[in-house]
């Protein structure tokens, strides 16, 4: 990306000693805030910070549950207790509520993995040094939404056969009469194209917006830390703390919603078509 040209007498706000009233512009966050130089490259493949954080997320999730359940005890220790609480929250609070206990049990490992993987990738946003939500890069939500989409399609065709699956996807209902072709067309595009798109974008858009707001208030706090601007910097810093707390809540909610929708798609695939 090309950098904006500045004259010799201008000072970039990203410089350490640049503040309000110093004659420099506010370093507003933008798309450049989501572009990272590669940490290393192998041929045409560039490994950057979001990829590193996604890799660390995998290690954290796998490592935590391995530590919690590798040698389970009748009287659980602290790690096992936390692991059981997290696993049970997804199992009972999301999967059982959506799919039922009998049907949903086999999908619990997938949904638990998705929930904690999404949550950890979100939470990097408020971790010092990392300070970036991996899901604010559209490729990661798209990849996870693709896993759910493929699972949903596979289960639909396996459960209902080719003809039954088409009826399920298009919402075939002969009682609709003349509007049936229009209804089937809308349902087809909604299920096949819109559903996976919105599943990915919902997570991406929330994390993208949240990170942008955190950047905005954090940069503003530093930028206004000069002269009379200190009063404004204090307000901005308070907003940074408030937004961080709110972001922690949103990060968990988005993981919950992502898995809840995944369960609802599986439920729709397994439902009997009438």
């Amino acid at each position: 990306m090309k950098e904006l040209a500045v004259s010799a007498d201008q000072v970039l706000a990203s410089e350490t000693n640049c503040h309000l009233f110093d004659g420099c512009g506010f370093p507003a966050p933008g798309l450049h805030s989501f572009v990272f130089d590669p940490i290393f490259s192998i041929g045409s493949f560039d490994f950057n910070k979001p990829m590193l954080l996604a890799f660390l997320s995998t290690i954290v999730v796998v490592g935590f549950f391995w530590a919690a359940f590798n040698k389970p005890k009748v009287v659980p220790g602290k790690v096992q207790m936390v692991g059981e609480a997290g696993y049970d929250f997804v199992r009972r609070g999301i999967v059982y509520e959506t799919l039922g206990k009998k049907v949903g049990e086999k999908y619990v490992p997938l949904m638990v993995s998705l929930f904690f993987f999404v949550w950890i990738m979100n939470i990097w946003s408020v971790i010092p040094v990392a300070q970036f939500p991996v899901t604010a890069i559209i490729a990661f939500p798209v990849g996870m939404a693709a896993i759910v989409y493929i699972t949903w399609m596979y289960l639909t065709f396996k459960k209902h056969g080719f003809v039954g699956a088409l009826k399920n996807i298009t919402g075939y209902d002969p009682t609709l009469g003349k509007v049936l072709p229009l209804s089937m067309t809308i349902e087809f595009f909604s299920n096949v194209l819109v559903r996976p798109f919105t599943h990915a974008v919902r997570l991406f858009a929330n994390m993208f917006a949240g990170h942008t707001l955190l950047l905005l208030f954090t940069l503003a706090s530093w930028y206004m830390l000069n002269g009379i601007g200190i009063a404004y910097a204090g307000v901005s810093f308070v907003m940074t703390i408030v937004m961080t707390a709110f972001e922690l809540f949103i990060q968990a909610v988005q993981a919950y919603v992502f898995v809840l929708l995944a369960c609802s798609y599986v439920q729709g695939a397994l439902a009997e078509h009438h």
Side-chain angles (χ1 to χ4, degrees), residues 49-61 113-127 130-145 147 200 203-204 207-208 211 247-248 250-252 254-255 258:
K49 181 178 179 178
M51 293 179 183
L52 174 61
L53 294 178
F55 178 70
L56 291 176
S57 299
T58 304
I59 293 177
V60 169
V61 173
S113 300
L114 283 174
F115 178 86
F116 284 98
F117 190 53
V118 171
W119 184 44
I120 296 299
M121 289 202 296
N122 290 348
I123 213 169
W124 287 118
S125 174
V126 297
I127 302 298
Q131 295 176 307
F132 186 80
V134 181
T135 47
I137 302 297
I138 187 64
F140 292 96
V142 165
M144 291 182 292
I147 292 173
L203 174 60
F204 158 74
M207 292 300 100
F208 184 94
H211 184 61
E247 189 68 6
L248 282 169
I250 295 299
Q251 289 161 359
Q254 287 305 310
F258 190 89

CSV table of all heavy atoms in Angstrom, one decimal, residues 49-61 113-127 130-145 147 200 203-204 207-208 211 247-248 250-252 254-255 258:
chain,number,residue,atom,x,y,z
A,49,LYS,N,1.5,-11.9,11.2
A,49,LYS,CA,1.1,-11.9,12.6
A,49,LYS,C,-0.3,-12.6,12.8
A,49,LYS,O,-0.4,-13.4,13.8
A,49,LYS,CB,1.0,-10.5,13.1
A,49,LYS,CG,0.6,-10.3,14.6
A,49,LYS,CD,0.6,-8.9,15.0
A,49,LYS,CE,0.1,-8.8,16.5
A,49,LYS,NZ,0.1,-7.3,17.0
A,50,PRO,N,-1.3,-12.3,12.0
A,50,PRO,CA,-2.6,-13.1,12.2
A,50,PRO,C,-2.4,-14.6,12.1
A,50,PRO,O,-3.1,-15.3,12.8
A,50,PRO,CB,-3.5,-12.5,11.1
A,50,PRO,CG,-2.9,-11.1,10.9
A,50,PRO,CD,-1.5,-11.3,11.0
A,51,MET,N,-1.6,-15.0,11.2
A,51,MET,CA,-1.3,-16.5,11.0
A,51,MET,C,-0.7,-17.0,12.3
A,51,MET,O,-1.0,-18.1,12.8
A,51,MET,CB,-0.4,-16.7,9.8
A,51,MET,CG,-1.1,-16.4,8.5
A,51,MET,SD,0.0,-16.8,7.1
A,51,MET,CE,-1.0,-16.2,5.7
A,52,LEU,N,0.3,-16.3,12.8
A,52,LEU,CA,1.0,-16.7,14.1
A,52,LEU,C,0.0,-16.8,15.2
A,52,LEU,O,0.0,-17.8,16.0
A,52,LEU,CB,2.1,-15.7,14.4
A,52,LEU,CG,2.8,-15.9,15.8
A,52,LEU,CD1,3.5,-17.3,15.8
A,52,LEU,CD2,3.8,-14.8,16.0
A,53,LEU,N,-0.9,-15.8,15.3
A,53,LEU,CA,-1.9,-15.8,16.4
A,53,LEU,C,-2.9,-16.9,16.2
A,53,LEU,O,-3.3,-17.6,17.2
A,53,LEU,CB,-2.6,-14.5,16.5
A,53,LEU,CG,-1.8,-13.3,16.9
A,53,LEU,CD1,-2.6,-12.0,16.8
A,53,LEU,CD2,-1.2,-13.5,18.2
A,54,ALA,N,-3.3,-17.3,15.0
A,54,ALA,CA,-4.2,-18.4,14.7
A,54,ALA,C,-3.5,-19.7,15.1
A,54,ALA,O,-4.1,-20.6,15.7
A,54,ALA,CB,-4.6,-18.4,13.3
A,55,PHE,N,-2.2,-19.8,14.8
A,55,PHE,CA,-1.4,-21.0,15.2
A,55,PHE,C,-1.3,-21.1,16.7
A,55,PHE,O,-1.5,-22.2,17.3
A,55,PHE,CB,0.0,-20.9,14.6
A,55,PHE,CG,0.9,-22.1,14.9
A,55,PHE,CD1,0.6,-23.4,14.4
A,55,PHE,CD2,2.0,-21.9,15.8
A,55,PHE,CE1,1.4,-24.4,14.8
A,55,PHE,CE2,2.8,-23.0,16.1
A,55,PHE,CZ,2.5,-24.2,15.6
A,56,LEU,N,-1.1,-20.0,17.4
A,56,LEU,CA,-1.0,-20.0,18.8
A,56,LEU,C,-2.4,-20.3,19.4
A,56,LEU,O,-2.4,-21.0,20.5
A,56,LEU,CB,-0.5,-18.7,19.3
A,56,LEU,CG,0.9,-18.3,19.1
A,56,LEU,CD1,1.3,-16.9,19.5
A,56,LEU,CD2,1.9,-19.3,19.7
A,57,SER,N,-3.4,-19.9,18.8
A,57,SER,CA,-4.8,-20.2,19.3
A,57,SER,C,-5.0,-21.7,19.2
A,57,SER,O,-5.6,-22.3,20.2
A,57,SER,CB,-5.8,-19.6,18.4
A,57,SER,OG,-5.7,-18.2,18.4
A,58,THR,N,-4.6,-22.4,18.2
A,58,THR,CA,-4.7,-23.8,18.1
A,58,THR,C,-3.9,-24.5,19.2
A,58,THR,O,-4.4,-25.4,19.9
A,58,THR,CB,-4.1,-24.3,16.7
A,58,THR,OG1,-4.8,-23.7,15.7
A,58,THR,CG2,-4.3,-25.8,16.6
A,59,ILE,N,-2.7,-24.0,19.5
A,59,ILE,CA,-1.9,-24.6,20.6
A,59,ILE,C,-2.5,-24.4,21.9
A,59,ILE,O,-2.6,-25.3,22.8
A,59,ILE,CB,-0.5,-24.0,20.6
A,59,ILE,CG1,0.3,-24.4,19.3
A,59,ILE,CG2,0.3,-24.4,21.8
A,59,ILE,CD1,1.7,-23.7,19.1
A,60,VAL,N,-3.1,-23.2,22.1
A,60,VAL,CA,-3.8,-22.9,23.4
A,60,VAL,C,-5.0,-23.8,23.6
A,60,VAL,O,-5.1,-24.4,24.7
A,60,VAL,CB,-4.2,-21.4,23.5
A,60,VAL,CG1,-5.1,-21.2,24.7
A,60,VAL,CG2,-3.0,-20.5,23.5
A,61,VAL,N,-5.8,-24.0,22.6
A,61,VAL,CA,-7.0,-24.8,22.8
A,61,VAL,C,-6.7,-26.2,23.0
A,61,VAL,O,-7.2,-26.9,23.9
A,61,VAL,CB,-7.9,-24.6,21.5
A,61,VAL,CG1,-9.1,-25.6,21.6
A,61,VAL,CG2,-8.5,-23.2,21.5
A,113,SER,N,-14.8,-27.4,19.9
A,113,SER,CA,-13.6,-26.9,19.2
A,113,SER,C,-13.8,-25.6,18.5
A,113,SER,O,-13.0,-24.7,18.6
A,113,SER,CB,-13.2,-28.0,18.2
A,113,SER,OG,-12.9,-29.2,18.8
A,114,LEU,N,-15.0,-25.4,17.8
A,114,LEU,CA,-15.3,-24.2,17.1
A,114,LEU,C,-15.4,-23.0,18.1
A,114,LEU,O,-14.9,-21.9,17.9
A,114,LEU,CB,-16.5,-24.3,16.3
A,114,LEU,CG,-16.4,-25.1,15.0
A,114,LEU,CD1,-17.8,-25.2,14.3
A,114,LEU,CD2,-15.5,-24.3,14.0
A,115,PHE,N,-16.1,-23.3,19.2
A,115,PHE,CA,-16.4,-22.2,20.2
A,115,PHE,C,-15.1,-21.7,20.8
A,115,PHE,O,-14.9,-20.5,20.8
A,115,PHE,CB,-17.3,-22.7,21.3
A,115,PHE,CG,-17.6,-21.7,22.4
A,115,PHE,CD1,-18.6,-20.8,22.2
A,115,PHE,CD2,-16.8,-21.6,23.5
A,115,PHE,CE1,-18.8,-19.9,23.2
A,115,PHE,CE2,-17.0,-20.7,24.5
A,115,PHE,CZ,-18.0,-19.8,24.3
A,116,PHE,N,-14.3,-22.6,21.3
A,116,PHE,CA,-13.1,-22.1,21.9
A,116,PHE,C,-12.0,-21.6,21.0
A,116,PHE,O,-11.2,-20.7,21.3
A,116,PHE,CB,-12.5,-23.2,22.8
A,116,PHE,CG,-13.3,-23.4,24.1
A,116,PHE,CD1,-14.2,-24.4,24.2
A,116,PHE,CD2,-13.1,-22.5,25.2
A,116,PHE,CE1,-14.9,-24.5,25.4
A,116,PHE,CE2,-13.8,-22.7,26.3
A,116,PHE,CZ,-14.7,-23.7,26.4
A,117,PHE,N,-12.0,-22.1,19.7
A,117,PHE,CA,-11.1,-21.6,18.7
A,117,PHE,C,-11.5,-20.2,18.3
A,117,PHE,O,-10.6,-19.3,18.3
A,117,PHE,CB,-11.1,-22.5,17.5
A,117,PHE,CG,-10.0,-22.2,16.5
A,117,PHE,CD1,-8.7,-22.1,16.9
A,117,PHE,CD2,-10.3,-22.0,15.2
A,117,PHE,CE1,-7.7,-21.9,16.0
A,117,PHE,CE2,-9.3,-21.7,14.3
A,117,PHE,CZ,-8.0,-21.7,14.7
A,118,VAL,N,-12.7,-20.0,18.1
A,118,VAL,CA,-13.2,-18.6,17.8
A,118,VAL,C,-13.0,-17.7,18.9
A,118,VAL,O,-12.5,-16.5,18.7
A,118,VAL,CB,-14.7,-18.6,17.4
A,118,VAL,CG1,-15.2,-17.2,17.2
A,118,VAL,CG2,-14.9,-19.4,16.1
A,119,TRP,N,-13.3,-18.1,20.1
A,119,TRP,CA,-13.1,-17.2,21.3
A,119,TRP,C,-11.7,-16.8,21.5
A,119,TRP,O,-11.4,-15.6,21.8
A,119,TRP,CB,-13.7,-18.0,22.5
A,119,TRP,CG,-13.7,-17.1,23.8
A,119,TRP,CD1,-14.1,-15.8,23.9
A,119,TRP,CD2,-13.3,-17.5,25.1
A,119,TRP,NE1,-13.9,-15.4,25.2
A,119,TRP,CE2,-13.4,-16.4,25.9
A,119,TRP,CE3,-12.8,-18.7,25.6
A,119,TRP,CZ2,-13.1,-16.5,27.3
A,119,TRP,CZ3,-12.5,-18.8,27.0
A,119,TRP,CH2,-12.7,-17.7,27.8
A,120,ILE,N,-10.8,-17.8,21.5
A,120,ILE,CA,-9.4,-17.4,21.7
A,120,ILE,C,-8.8,-16.5,20.6
A,120,ILE,O,-8.1,-15.6,20.8
A,120,ILE,CB,-8.5,-18.7,21.7
A,120,ILE,CG1,-8.9,-19.6,23.0
A,120,ILE,CG2,-7.0,-18.4,21.8
A,120,ILE,CD1,-8.7,-18.8,24.3
A,121,MET,N,-9.2,-16.8,19.3
A,121,MET,CA,-8.8,-15.9,18.2
A,121,MET,C,-9.4,-14.5,18.4
A,121,MET,O,-8.7,-13.5,18.1
A,121,MET,CB,-9.2,-16.4,16.9
A,121,MET,CG,-8.4,-17.7,16.5
A,121,MET,SD,-8.5,-18.0,14.7
A,121,MET,CE,-10.2,-18.3,14.4
A,122,ASN,N,-10.6,-14.4,19.0
A,122,ASN,CA,-11.1,-13.0,19.3
A,122,ASN,C,-10.4,-12.3,20.4
A,122,ASN,O,-10.1,-11.1,20.4
A,122,ASN,CB,-12.6,-13.2,19.7
A,122,ASN,CG,-13.5,-13.6,18.5
A,122,ASN,OD1,-13.1,-13.5,17.4
A,122,ASN,ND2,-14.7,-13.9,18.8
A,123,ILE,N,-10.1,-13.1,21.4
A,123,ILE,CA,-9.6,-12.5,22.7
A,123,ILE,C,-8.1,-12.0,22.5
A,123,ILE,O,-7.7,-11.2,23.4
A,123,ILE,CB,-9.6,-13.5,23.8
A,123,ILE,CG1,-9.9,-12.8,25.2
A,123,ILE,CG2,-8.4,-14.4,23.9
A,123,ILE,CD1,-10.3,-13.8,26.3
A,124,TRP,N,-7.4,-12.3,21.5
A,124,TRP,CA,-6.1,-11.8,21.3
A,124,TRP,C,-6.1,-10.2,21.2
A,124,TRP,O,-5.1,-9.6,21.4
A,124,TRP,CB,-5.4,-12.3,20.0
A,124,TRP,CG,-5.0,-13.8,20.1
A,124,TRP,CD1,-5.4,-14.8,19.4
A,124,TRP,CD2,-4.0,-14.3,20.9
A,124,TRP,NE1,-4.8,-16.0,19.7
A,124,TRP,CE2,-3.9,-15.7,20.7
A,124,TRP,CE3,-3.1,-13.7,21.9
A,124,TRP,CZ2,-3.0,-16.5,21.3
A,124,TRP,CZ3,-2.2,-14.6,22.6
A,124,TRP,CH2,-2.2,-15.9,22.3
A,125,SER,N,-7.3,-9.7,20.8
A,125,SER,CA,-7.5,-8.3,20.7
A,125,SER,C,-7.1,-7.5,21.9
A,125,SER,O,-6.6,-6.3,21.8
A,125,SER,CB,-8.9,-8.0,20.3
A,125,SER,OG,-9.2,-6.6,20.2
A,126,VAL,N,-7.3,-8.1,23.1
A,126,VAL,CA,-7.0,-7.3,24.3
A,126,VAL,C,-5.8,-7.9,25.1
A,126,VAL,O,-5.6,-7.5,26.2
A,126,VAL,CB,-8.3,-7.4,25.3
A,126,VAL,CG1,-9.5,-6.6,24.6
A,126,VAL,CG2,-8.7,-8.8,25.6
A,127,ILE,N,-5.1,-8.8,24.5
A,127,ILE,CA,-3.9,-9.3,25.1
A,127,ILE,C,-2.7,-8.4,24.7
A,127,ILE,O,-2.4,-8.2,23.5
A,127,ILE,CB,-3.6,-10.7,24.6
A,127,ILE,CG1,-4.8,-11.6,24.9
A,127,ILE,CG2,-2.3,-11.3,25.2
A,127,ILE,CD1,-5.1,-11.8,26.4
A,130,ALA,N,0.1,-8.9,21.5
A,130,ALA,CA,-0.7,-9.4,20.4
A,130,ALA,C,-1.7,-8.3,19.9
A,130,ALA,O,-1.5,-7.9,18.8
A,130,ALA,CB,-1.5,-10.7,20.8
A,131,GLN,N,-2.6,-8.0,20.7
A,131,GLN,CA,-3.5,-6.8,20.4
A,131,GLN,C,-4.1,-6.8,19.0
A,131,GLN,O,-4.2,-5.8,18.3
A,131,GLN,CB,-2.8,-5.5,20.7
A,131,GLN,CG,-2.4,-5.3,22.1
A,131,GLN,CD,-1.6,-4.1,22.4
A,131,GLN,OE1,-0.6,-3.8,21.7
A,131,GLN,NE2,-2.0,-3.2,23.3
A,132,PHE,N,-4.6,-8.0,18.6
A,132,PHE,CA,-5.2,-8.1,17.3
A,132,PHE,C,-6.1,-9.3,17.3
A,132,PHE,O,-5.7,-10.4,17.6
A,132,PHE,CB,-4.2,-8.1,16.2
A,132,PHE,CG,-4.9,-8.1,14.8
A,132,PHE,CD1,-5.2,-6.9,14.3
A,132,PHE,CD2,-5.1,-9.3,14.1
A,132,PHE,CE1,-5.8,-6.8,13.0
A,132,PHE,CE2,-5.7,-9.2,12.9
A,132,PHE,CZ,-6.1,-8.0,12.3
A,133,PRO,N,-7.4,-9.1,16.9
A,133,PRO,CA,-8.3,-10.3,16.8
A,133,PRO,C,-8.2,-10.9,15.5
A,133,PRO,O,-8.4,-10.3,14.4
A,133,PRO,CB,-9.7,-9.6,16.9
A,133,PRO,CG,-9.5,-8.2,16.4
A,133,PRO,CD,-8.1,-7.8,16.7
A,134,VAL,N,-7.8,-12.2,15.5
A,134,VAL,CA,-7.5,-12.9,14.2
A,134,VAL,C,-8.7,-12.9,13.3
A,134,VAL,O,-8.6,-12.8,12.1
A,134,VAL,CB,-7.1,-14.3,14.5
A,134,VAL,CG1,-6.8,-15.1,13.2
A,134,VAL,CG2,-5.9,-14.3,15.4
A,135,THR,N,-9.9,-13.0,13.9
A,135,THR,CA,-11.2,-13.0,13.1
A,135,THR,C,-11.5,-11.7,12.4
A,135,THR,O,-12.5,-11.6,11.7
A,135,THR,CB,-12.3,-13.5,14.0
A,135,THR,OG1,-12.3,-12.7,15.2
A,135,THR,CG2,-12.2,-15.0,14.3
A,136,ALA,N,-10.7,-10.7,12.7
A,136,ALA,CA,-10.9,-9.4,12.0
A,136,ALA,C,-10.3,-9.5,10.6
A,136,ALA,O,-10.4,-8.6,9.8
A,136,ALA,CB,-10.2,-8.2,12.7
A,137,ILE,N,-9.6,-10.6,10.3
A,137,ILE,CA,-9.2,-10.9,8.9
A,137,ILE,C,-10.2,-11.9,8.3
A,137,ILE,O,-10.4,-13.0,8.8
A,137,ILE,CB,-7.8,-11.5,8.9
A,137,ILE,CG1,-6.8,-10.6,9.5
A,137,ILE,CG2,-7.3,-11.9,7.5
A,137,ILE,CD1,-6.6,-9.3,8.8
A,138,ILE,N,-10.9,-11.5,7.2
A,138,ILE,CA,-12.0,-12.2,6.7
A,138,ILE,C,-11.7,-13.7,6.4
A,138,ILE,O,-12.6,-14.5,6.4
A,138,ILE,CB,-12.6,-11.5,5.5
A,138,ILE,CG1,-13.9,-12.1,5.0
A,138,ILE,CG2,-11.6,-11.4,4.4
A,138,ILE,CD1,-15.0,-12.0,6.0
A,139,ALA,N,-10.5,-14.0,6.0
A,139,ALA,CA,-10.2,-15.3,5.6
A,139,ALA,C,-10.4,-16.4,6.7
A,139,ALA,O,-10.8,-17.5,6.4
A,139,ALA,CB,-8.7,-15.4,5.1
A,140,PHE,N,-10.2,-16.0,7.9
A,140,PHE,CA,-10.4,-16.9,9.0
A,140,PHE,C,-11.8,-17.3,9.3
A,140,PHE,O,-12.2,-18.4,9.4
A,140,PHE,CB,-9.7,-16.4,10.3
A,140,PHE,CG,-8.2,-16.4,10.1
A,140,PHE,CD1,-7.5,-15.2,9.8
A,140,PHE,CD2,-7.4,-17.5,10.3
A,140,PHE,CE1,-6.1,-15.2,9.6
A,140,PHE,CE2,-6.0,-17.5,10.2
A,140,PHE,CZ,-5.4,-16.3,9.8
A,141,PRO,N,-12.7,-16.3,9.4
A,141,PRO,CA,-14.2,-16.6,9.6
A,141,PRO,C,-14.7,-17.4,8.4
A,141,PRO,O,-15.5,-18.3,8.5
A,141,PRO,CB,-14.8,-15.2,9.7
A,141,PRO,CG,-13.8,-14.3,10.2
A,141,PRO,CD,-12.5,-14.8,9.6
A,142,VAL,N,-14.2,-17.0,7.2
A,142,VAL,CA,-14.7,-17.7,6.0
A,142,VAL,C,-14.3,-19.2,6.0
A,142,VAL,O,-15.0,-20.1,5.7
A,142,VAL,CB,-14.1,-17.1,4.7
A,142,VAL,CG1,-14.2,-18.0,3.5
A,142,VAL,CG2,-14.8,-15.8,4.4
A,143,GLY,N,-13.0,-19.5,6.5
A,143,GLY,CA,-12.6,-20.9,6.6
A,143,GLY,C,-13.4,-21.7,7.6
A,143,GLY,O,-13.8,-22.8,7.3
A,144,MET,N,-13.7,-21.1,8.7
A,144,MET,CA,-14.6,-21.8,9.7
A,144,MET,C,-16.0,-21.9,9.3
A,144,MET,O,-16.6,-23.0,9.5
A,144,MET,CB,-14.5,-21.1,11.1
A,144,MET,CG,-13.1,-21.2,11.7
A,144,MET,SD,-13.0,-20.4,13.3
A,144,MET,CE,-13.2,-18.7,12.9
A,145,ALA,N,-16.5,-20.9,8.6
A,145,ALA,CA,-17.9,-21.0,8.1
A,145,ALA,C,-17.9,-22.1,7.0
A,145,ALA,O,-19.0,-22.7,6.8
A,145,ALA,CB,-18.3,-19.6,7.5
A,147,ILE,N,-16.2,-24.8,6.9
A,147,ILE,CA,-16.3,-26.1,7.6
A,147,ILE,C,-17.7,-26.4,8.0
A,147,ILE,O,-18.2,-27.6,7.8
A,147,ILE,CB,-15.4,-26.1,8.9
A,147,ILE,CG1,-13.9,-26.0,8.5
A,147,ILE,CG2,-15.6,-27.4,9.7
A,147,ILE,CD1,-13.0,-25.8,9.6
A,200,ALA,N,-20.1,-16.0,8.1
A,200,ALA,CA,-18.7,-15.5,8.2
A,200,ALA,C,-18.6,-14.1,8.5
A,200,ALA,O,-17.9,-13.6,9.3
A,200,ALA,CB,-17.9,-15.9,6.9
A,203,LEU,N,-19.3,-12.6,12.2
A,203,LEU,CA,-18.2,-12.6,13.1
A,203,LEU,C,-17.1,-11.6,12.7
A,203,LEU,O,-16.6,-10.9,13.5
A,203,LEU,CB,-17.6,-14.0,13.1
A,203,LEU,CG,-16.3,-14.3,13.8
A,203,LEU,CD1,-16.5,-14.0,15.3
A,203,LEU,CD2,-15.8,-15.7,13.7
A,204,PHE,N,-16.8,-11.6,11.4
A,204,PHE,CA,-15.7,-10.7,10.9
A,204,PHE,C,-16.0,-9.2,11.2
A,204,PHE,O,-15.2,-8.5,11.7
A,204,PHE,CB,-15.5,-10.9,9.4
A,204,PHE,CG,-14.9,-9.8,8.7
A,204,PHE,CD1,-13.6,-9.5,8.8
A,204,PHE,CD2,-15.7,-8.9,7.8
A,204,PHE,CE1,-13.0,-8.4,8.2
A,204,PHE,CE2,-15.1,-7.9,7.2
A,204,PHE,CZ,-13.8,-7.6,7.3
A,207,MET,N,-15.8,-8.1,14.9
A,207,MET,CA,-14.4,-8.1,15.4
A,207,MET,C,-13.6,-6.9,14.7
A,207,MET,O,-12.8,-6.3,15.3
A,207,MET,CB,-13.7,-9.4,15.1
A,207,MET,CG,-14.2,-10.5,16.0
A,207,MET,SD,-14.0,-10.2,17.8
A,207,MET,CE,-15.7,-9.7,18.2
A,208,PHE,N,-13.9,-6.7,13.4
A,208,PHE,CA,-13.3,-5.6,12.7
A,208,PHE,C,-13.7,-4.3,13.3
A,208,PHE,O,-12.8,-3.4,13.6
A,208,PHE,CB,-13.7,-5.7,11.2
A,208,PHE,CG,-13.0,-4.7,10.3
A,208,PHE,CD1,-11.9,-5.0,9.6
A,208,PHE,CD2,-13.5,-3.4,10.2
A,208,PHE,CE1,-11.3,-4.0,8.8
A,208,PHE,CE2,-12.9,-2.4,9.4
A,208,PHE,CZ,-11.8,-2.8,8.7
A,211,HIS,N,-12.2,-3.8,17.0
A,211,HIS,CA,-10.8,-3.5,17.0
A,211,HIS,C,-10.5,-2.1,16.5
A,211,HIS,O,-9.6,-1.4,17.1
A,211,HIS,CB,-10.0,-4.5,16.1
A,211,HIS,CG,-8.5,-4.3,16.1
A,211,HIS,ND1,-7.8,-4.5,17.2
A,211,HIS,CD2,-7.6,-4.0,15.1
A,211,HIS,CE1,-6.5,-4.3,17.0
A,211,HIS,NE2,-6.4,-4.0,15.7
A,247,GLU,N,-15.6,-5.1,24.7
A,247,GLU,CA,-15.1,-6.0,23.7
A,247,GLU,C,-14.9,-7.4,24.2
A,247,GLU,O,-15.1,-8.4,23.5
A,247,GLU,CB,-13.8,-5.5,23.2
A,247,GLU,CG,-13.2,-6.2,21.9
A,247,GLU,CD,-14.0,-6.0,20.7
A,247,GLU,OE1,-15.0,-5.2,20.7
A,247,GLU,OE2,-13.7,-6.6,19.7
A,248,LEU,N,-14.5,-7.6,25.5
A,248,LEU,CA,-14.4,-8.9,26.1
A,248,LEU,C,-15.8,-9.6,26.1
A,248,LEU,O,-15.8,-10.8,25.8
A,248,LEU,CB,-13.9,-8.7,27.5
A,248,LEU,CG,-12.4,-8.5,27.7
A,248,LEU,CD1,-12.1,-8.1,29.2
A,248,LEU,CD2,-11.6,-9.7,27.3
A,250,ILE,N,-18.3,-8.9,23.9
A,250,ILE,CA,-18.6,-9.2,22.5
A,250,ILE,C,-17.9,-10.4,22.0
A,250,ILE,O,-18.4,-11.2,21.2
A,250,ILE,CB,-18.4,-8.0,21.6
A,250,ILE,CG1,-19.3,-6.8,22.0
A,250,ILE,CG2,-18.5,-8.3,20.2
A,250,ILE,CD1,-20.8,-7.1,21.9
A,251,GLN,N,-16.6,-10.5,22.4
A,251,GLN,CA,-15.8,-11.7,21.9
A,251,GLN,C,-16.4,-13.0,22.3
A,251,GLN,O,-16.5,-13.9,21.5
A,251,GLN,CB,-14.4,-11.5,22.5
A,251,GLN,CG,-13.6,-10.4,21.9
A,251,GLN,CD,-12.4,-10.0,22.7
A,251,GLN,OE1,-12.2,-10.6,23.8
A,251,GLN,NE2,-11.6,-9.1,22.3
A,252,ALA,N,-16.9,-13.1,23.5
A,252,ALA,CA,-17.6,-14.3,23.9
A,252,ALA,C,-18.9,-14.5,23.3
A,252,ALA,O,-19.3,-15.6,22.9
A,252,ALA,CB,-17.7,-14.3,25.5
A,254,GLN,N,-19.8,-13.4,20.3
A,254,GLN,CA,-19.7,-13.8,18.9
A,254,GLN,C,-19.3,-15.3,18.7
A,254,GLN,O,-19.7,-16.0,17.8
A,254,GLN,CB,-18.6,-12.9,18.2
A,254,GLN,CG,-19.1,-11.5,18.0
A,254,GLN,CD,-20.4,-11.5,17.2
A,254,GLN,OE1,-20.5,-12.1,16.1
A,254,GLN,NE2,-21.4,-10.7,17.6
A,255,ALA,N,-18.5,-15.8,19.7
A,255,ALA,CA,-18.2,-17.2,19.7
A,255,ALA,C,-19.4,-18.1,19.9
A,255,ALA,O,-19.7,-19.1,19.2
A,255,ALA,CB,-17.1,-17.6,20.7
A,258,PHE,N,-21.7,-17.8,16.8
A,258,PHE,CA,-21.2,-18.6,15.7
A,258,PHE,C,-21.5,-20.1,15.8
A,258,PHE,O,-21.9,-20.7,14.9
A,258,PHE,CB,-19.7,-18.4,15.6
A,258,PHE,CG,-19.0,-19.0,14.3
A,258,PHE,CD1,-18.9,-18.2,13.2
A,258,PHE,CD2,-18.6,-20.3,14.3
A,258,PHE,CE1,-18.4,-18.7,12.0
A,258,PHE,CE2,-18.0,-20.8,13.2
A,258,PHE,CZ,-17.9,-20.0,12.0
